[in-house]
Amino acid sequence: MINLGRLFYEAGTPSEPDVASDSEKQLLVSSDAEKITWILPPPTPQTTAGKARQPPLAVKVFFLSAAAAFAIFFGRPIATFAGLAYNSVLHCGQHHEGGTVDKPIQITAKLWNAELVSDRAGWKPECSTGQDTCGKAIDADGDRTFWQSETKPGASHWIAIDLGREVMIHSLRVEPSLESWQDGEGGAARKHLVEVRATTAEQWQPVARGAWRDRVGGMCSSIPERISQAIVTLTSWLLSKVATFEPRKARYVKLTVVDTHEVKGKDVGFVTISNVNIWTLPIPETPPFGGRWGETVDFPLVPVTAWLNPKSGRLVTVASYTFDNYQADIHRNTLMAEWDPASGNVTEQVIGSIDHDVFCPGTSMDENGAVLFTGGSTSDRFTFYDTDKGWVRPEPNRIVQKRGYQGQTYLPDGRTFMIGGTWSGGGDDKNGEVWDGKVWTSLGTKIPASRIKMDPGQCDPQWKGRPGCENRDWQQHHPWLYAWKNDYVFHAGPSKKMNWFRLTSGSEEAKDGGVRADDSDAVGGCAVMYDAASGSILTAGGAPNYHWWVNAEDKKNNPAFRLPATNHVYGMTLGEPGQIVEPKRLSSMKFARVFSNAAVLPNGEIFVVGGQLHGEPFFEDTWVATPEIYTPSTNEWRDAARHSIPRVYHSWAMLLPDATVLVGGSGLKQEHDEANHYDAQIYQPSCLFTQDGKTLAKRPIILDNKISEHQLGTEISIQTDVPVDPVASLIRYSAATHALNNDLRRIPVKLVTQGNPADRKYTAKIPAEDFIALPGYWMLFVLKDGVPSTAKTVRIFKK
């Protein structure tokens, strides 16, 4: 979901991001974005004898102490709470700038021109229980009245609203009863389903589901009323629940609450709603063959890293030590959420047993489907996520060099390689390191990190020489690594200079791999091996520097900025290891992007989504709302359907076995809570639709869809319900974070008909080369006239 504050807003003056040239303006999707002011609702004035009261000094001291405790409890900076909440405590007096508080607290940012449906005259609510009080959820009294469902533990509770007219519904925000919260009774929605429909004759259409975070709990319910009322504005913001989805034309909206946040370890069995707000957002028509956006999955954390468990089919995500923030080398726990695509259920868990905060780690997936996490916020640790056991803490659990933001990949011989990563663990060179299943071994200067460094002096020409322009701490971030033959790994970037790393034990060495001569360094760009059989790699976008602003937090006094992202695209084909690779400049994307993500589709096309023109973490002003799809056979890009939730820094994209793409995350910074996105969206590629782009096409079916295991060089036997195209796709399961997904690769495989063609039996030959069919779990898709099936999961292993 988008940040809660986003849904209190009013349109202001149009504001266009600074760009260096007219050509760059053409790359901006948000150049016409309006400046939006989020508004926290004004507190009710309190007076004594007609005069505004000043809070006693003791109350101020008590409040600030409570704010400090509140901040420590949540791991938030004290200023975050003391600033917002102190202004609200002074609603009975004056705010810190003087004058009575008669206006809402305002926070400003840029967003599309969404509109609150403010006219409720035609609204008609209907509820699961308590019909006589149902209207209190939408009346003009706000949190002074509320609807409460009947107490039925384990039951679902719902409210449906007839808006009286069709609108493009974009998001829904509900507030529980503050009175119920203050009394410690609960009733705040947690697991939920949001549905819409245009008429009562239609079936309800799901648009969002998942689990909302309990951002407050009952911790303040025992505070005396005078003090608890002082933080009512902040509390209302924290308790609010928001579901954001791609706009749907509808007249009816329905919220079903499956359970509520527990009170003293129990589901209270009822729901309270004091207010419902609905926002609309017009959106352009989907371009031809642009696909469509489906449901939103709501998570109780900002999902920064994601992977699929190939055995259970569930998607696992992690944030950091808490749900909306990170810190380096302090914490030893991780917050995790898991989504089951089959049921739509979202669960969460705090993982403390691994002694590791796995935010900003290196990630790779081994032959058994286990994900190996290295470094990150706990820069000297490593951890496994096993497909059966879950989280596993190895002993000892130390890597050789502390690091974060490194690149990592699984190797054909069962080892794992990583290099780079200077975000955490100190600023020295993070040389290559190998895990052999028992110990980590540093490769030292044989595989030096100096080979992957990027140029730090990339300021815009007008600021050349400005103090701070040369920024070196990001130079070894997120290297693109691809395992290849004869124990070699190819380093494709993001530095424009590329490398070969030979990892034969005892004979390690680094060799020149070529250069993207007319490119800049492309940190935060994306890369994907879309045809492993031919060694074909595509790289797209990126920026010459990790930070657009020289000082993002003090732009007024230091307005200097660096170079923007590019729209450059390169193709390269790996041949014999150690030979110079000659990149070929391909057709450029329409939009320049940094912090974008790429996923390869079953038909061999490449889906690039998200990103922004100016590569500054947690600043979304220039985010790109239009994804693009690349067709290798024609060297052409086309626009995909636009989306309305920014996906930039800390976002990811993951191909699912049903051939859709889940795009999620972005943010994880308490000081920039407006950039925190607690959700993911399902993208349905155009290959799933008929020519009209709206009707789902009939899909072929692999009849035996159970997981099977196959040795390299052997055949996979399948039977389908209809005759299928002669070429299928194998796409590897992998883990994604920070625009990096090194283990992802696709192999086009020929299908050979067995026996009578009417029997629709085929075999697919797995390549014998382990550097092509990297051992591990893969998704096998067959296609009928280009329409993919749901995948069959296969495990490919070495002898």
Side-chain angles (χ1 to χ4, degrees):
M1 71 185 178
I2 59 176
N3 174 263
L4 301 176
R6 282 181 180 271
L7 298 182
F8 293 99
Y9 74 94
E10 62 184 6
T13 327
S15 176
E16 182 174 303
D18 294 330
V19 289
S21 67
D22 290 339
S23 60
E24 288 179 6
K25 290 181 180 179
Q26 294 173 1
L27 298 174
L28 280 171
V29 71
S30 57
S31 60
D32 59 347
E34 296 219 11
K35 193 174 186 180
I36 302 301
T37 302
W38 310 325
I39 302 175
L40 297 176
T44 305
Q46 299 181 19
T47 60
T48 300
K51 184 178 180 180
R53 292 184 297 164
Q54 292 280 353
L57 177 62
V59 171
K60 296 181 182 179
V61 172
F62 182 90
F63 173 75
L64 292 175
S65 300
F70 197 76
I72 293 170
F73 182 86
F74 280 102
R76 288 173 174 263
I78 291 175
T80 300
F81 286 119
L84 280 174
Y86 184 63
N87 276 338
S88 64
V89 70
L90 295 176
H91 71 264
C92 55
Q94 296 179 336
H95 63 56
H96 69 283
E97 294 178 351
T100 57
V101 179
D102 57 1
K103 293 182 179 180
I105 299 169
Q106 298 186 357
I107 310 169
T108 304
K110 290 175 182 153
L111 185 63
W112 283 9
N113 192 20
E115 293 185 1
L116 174 67
V117 181
S118 56
D119 182 5
R120 304 187 183 189
W123 286 22
K124 297 177 182 178
E126 182 181 356
C127 299
S128 54
T129 59
Q131 294 297 329
D132 55 329
T133 60
C134 189
K136 295 183 183 297
I138 63 169
D139 62 21
D141 292 330
D143 59 27
R144 290 187 291 274
T145 61
F146 60 94
W147 165 69
Q148 178 173 315
S149 66
E150 293 180 6
T151 303
K152 290 184 178 181
S156 63
H157 312 264
W158 56 265
I159 179 171
I161 302 173
D162 176 1
L163 303 179
R165 59 189 176 92
E166 285 191 353
V167 296
M168 293 294 288
I169 301 177
H170 173 250
S171 48
L172 172 144
R173 177 183 186 270
V174 295
E175 299 172 27
S177 161
L178 283 177
E179 177 183 327
S180 182
W181 170 77
Q182 288 169 324
D183 293 341
E185 296 175 355
R190 188 171 77 102
K191 293 185 179 179
H192 60 279
L193 169 66
V194 180
E195 301 168 286
V196 298
R197 64 183 180 185
T199 69
T200 54
E202 296 180 0
Q203 296 292 321
W204 287 105
Q205 177 188 3
V207 290
R209 71 178 82 204
W212 282 317
R213 160 64 51 185
D214 179 8
R215 302 178 66 151
V216 176
M219 64 159 291
C220 291
S221 58
S222 61
I223 296 176
E225 181 179 358
R226 172 67 185 85
I227 302 302
S228 63
Q229 286 296 326
I231 56 173
V232 67
T233 297
L234 177 62
T235 303
S236 174
W237 171 68
L238 290 172
L239 286 173
S240 299
K241 312 295 182 182
V242 181
T244 303
F245 39 88
E246 293 311 309
R248 297 287 189 271
K249 191 173 184 179
R251 173 174 170 171
Y252 302 87
V253 59
K254 180 180 181 181
L255 170 66
T256 300
V257 179
V258 179
D259 72 3
T260 60
H261 292 293
E262 294 180 346
V263 174
K264 297 180 180 179
K266 294 182 179 180
D267 178 5
V268 298
F270 64 84
V271 174
T272 66
I273 297 179
S274 65
N275 200 14
V276 177
N277 285 316
I278 292 172
W279 275 261
T280 67
L281 181 67
I283 195 166
E285 285 291 324
T286 298
F289 307 107
R292 299 187 68 184
W293 289 92
E295 287 186 36
T296 294
V297 180
D298 292 322
F299 289 105
L301 48 73
V302 177
V304 175
T305 301
W307 67 98
L308 281 167
N309 183 326
K311 289 187 178 180
S312 69
R314 297 187 181 97
L315 181 119
V316 189
T317 70
V318 294
S320 184
Y321 74 96
T322 188
F323 60 93
D324 66 347
N325 201 41
Y326 67 88
Q327 292 177 323
D329 287 315
I330 296 178
H331 305 279
R332 298 289 185 269
N333 66 283
T334 296
L335 261 65
M336 166 190 132
E338 189 175 61
W339 170 59
D340 183 357
S343 65
N345 192 36
V346 173
T347 56
E348 61 180 304
Q349 189 177 358
V350 179
I351 310 298
S353 60
I354 58 175
D355 192 35
H356 190 180
D357 179 356
V358 298
F359 171 73
C360 288
T363 60
S364 56
M365 184 176 284
D366 70 14
E367 181 176 331
N368 299 310
V371 180
L372 171 58
F373 297 93
T374 59
S377 281
T378 314
S379 60
D380 62 346
R381 304 293 205 272
F382 75 103
T383 302
F384 288 97
Y385 181 86
D386 184 82
T387 54
D388 297 316
K389 301 175 184 178
W391 294 95
V392 177
R393 173 182 171 176
E395 291 294 346
N397 63 341
R398 301 295 196 275
I399 56 179
V400 178
Q401 271 190 290
K402 298 179 179 180
R403 63 182 80 214
Y405 280 12
Q406 61 269 32
Q408 185 171 307
T409 188
Y410 186 64
L411 303 177
D413 62 7
R415 296 181 297 163
T416 300
F417 170 71
M418 67 177 173
I419 190 170
T422 49
W423 173 74
S424 59
D428 52 328
D429 285 346
K430 310 297 182 178
N431 297 327
E433 206 166 318
V434 168
W435 166 253
D436 65 3
K438 295 181 180 179
V439 297
W440 285 98
T441 301
S442 173
L443 304 179
T445 55
K446 293 180 181 179
I447 309 293
S450 58
R451 305 276 307 208
I452 70 171
K453 283 185 175 180
M454 291 168 270
D455 181 3
Q458 294 290 342
C459 259
D460 184 275
Q462 67 177 299
W463 302 108
K464 199 71 175 177
R466 180 86 169 201
C469 271
E470 190 168 285
N471 180 14
R472 297 179 179 274
D473 62 359
W474 59 276
Q475 287 180 278
Q476 300 175 25
H477 286 0
H478 315 310
W480 307 329
L481 305 172
Y482 294 95
W484 201 236
K485 65 174 72 173
N486 301 338
D487 297 330
Y488 275 84
V489 167
F490 182 67
H491 162 245
S495 63
K496 62 187 298 182
K497 187 179 183 304
M498 304 180 295
N499 297 277
W500 285 104
F501 299 134
R502 185 185 182 193
L503 302 178
T504 304
S505 182
S507 301
E508 297 89 352
E509 62 177 333
K511 297 181 179 181
D512 288 343
V515 62
R516 300 189 308 277
D518 57 346
D519 194 17
S520 62
D521 293 326
V523 67
C526 50
V528 60
M529 181 175 273
Y530 64 91
D531 185 345
S534 62
S536 297
I537 298 170
L538 178 138
T539 71
N545 198 291
Y546 212 68
H547 297 277
W548 162 256
W549 296 105
V550 170
N551 188 336
E553 304 297 339
D554 189 21
K555 298 188 290 290
K556 182 177 180 180
N557 294 319
N558 190 351
F561 53 85
R562 303 184 177 94
L563 296 178
T566 76
N567 60 352
H568 297 172
V569 178
Y570 291 84
M572 55 196 76
T573 301
L574 305 185
E576 290 303 312
Q579 294 183 351
I580 296 296
V581 174
E582 300 288 349
K584 180 182 178 182
R585 181 76 178 266
L586 303 176
S587 295
S588 297
M589 296 183 292
K590 179 186 294 185
F591 301 98
R593 305 171 188 265
V594 58
F595 305 143
S596 60
N597 292 276
V600 61
L601 303 178
N603 62 2
E605 293 185 318
I606 299 159
F607 175 66
V608 176
V609 61
Q612 59 196 96
L613 178 64
H614 298 152
E616 187 63 49
F618 315 115
F619 289 83
E620 301 176 338
D621 289 2
T622 59
W623 74 280
V624 181
T626 303
E628 297 179 68
I629 297 174
Y630 180 73
T631 305
S633 61
T634 63
N635 187 29
E636 293 177 335
W637 291 90
R638 69 178 185 273
D639 290 354
R642 289 170 65 125
H643 57 111
S644 59
I645 302 176
R647 302 295 180 194
V648 286
Y649 188 61
H650 289 164
S651 64
W652 44 267
M654 183 69 60
L655 179 72
L656 301 180
D658 66 355
T660 63
V661 181
L662 190 67
V663 181
S666 206
L668 197 79
K669 186 73 169 177
Q670 287 172 349
E671 293 89 337
H672 295 283
D673 204 38
E674 73 282 357
N676 290 343
H677 300 286
Y678 301 79
D679 55 19
Q681 300 166 276
I682 297 173
Y683 172 72
Q684 300 168 304
S686 60
C687 58
L688 299 180
F689 296 90
T690 60
Q691 290 293 314
D692 66 11
K694 300 178 181 179
T695 306
L696 286 171
K698 179 175 173 55
R699 302 175 65 172
I701 298 172
I702 300 175
L703 297 180
D704 179 8
N705 214 15
K706 296 179 181 178
I707 297 176
S708 57
E709 299 192 357
H710 306 270
Q711 188 175 324
L712 285 162
T714 63
E715 295 177 340
I716 305 170
S717 297
I718 60 171
Q719 184 177 15
T720 60
D721 66 329
V722 295
V724 294
D725 300 344
V727 178
S729 279
L730 280 167
I731 299 178
R732 197 178 189 274
Y733 284 88
S734 56
T737 188
H738 292 76
L740 201 62
N741 194 345
N742 286 335
D743 289 343
L744 173 64
R745 55 178 65 192
R746 169 184 171 267
I747 305 172
V749 291
K750 292 182 178 180
L751 295 178
V752 178
T753 302
Q754 301 297 305
N756 188 340
D759 293 336
R760 306 172 308 282
K761 294 182 178 180
Y762 307 91
T763 57
K765 180 72 176 292
I766 301 170
E769 300 86 354
D770 54 11
F771 61 90
I772 294 175
L774 188 65
Y777 281 88
W778 294 70
M779 292 177 273
L780 173 64
F781 295 92
V782 298
L783 300 95
K784 171 65 173 176
D785 299 327
V787 178
S789 66
T790 294
K792 172 183 173 66
T793 296
V794 298
R795 177 177 173 265
I796 298 175
F797 61 94
K798 296 186 70 171
K799 185 175 181 180

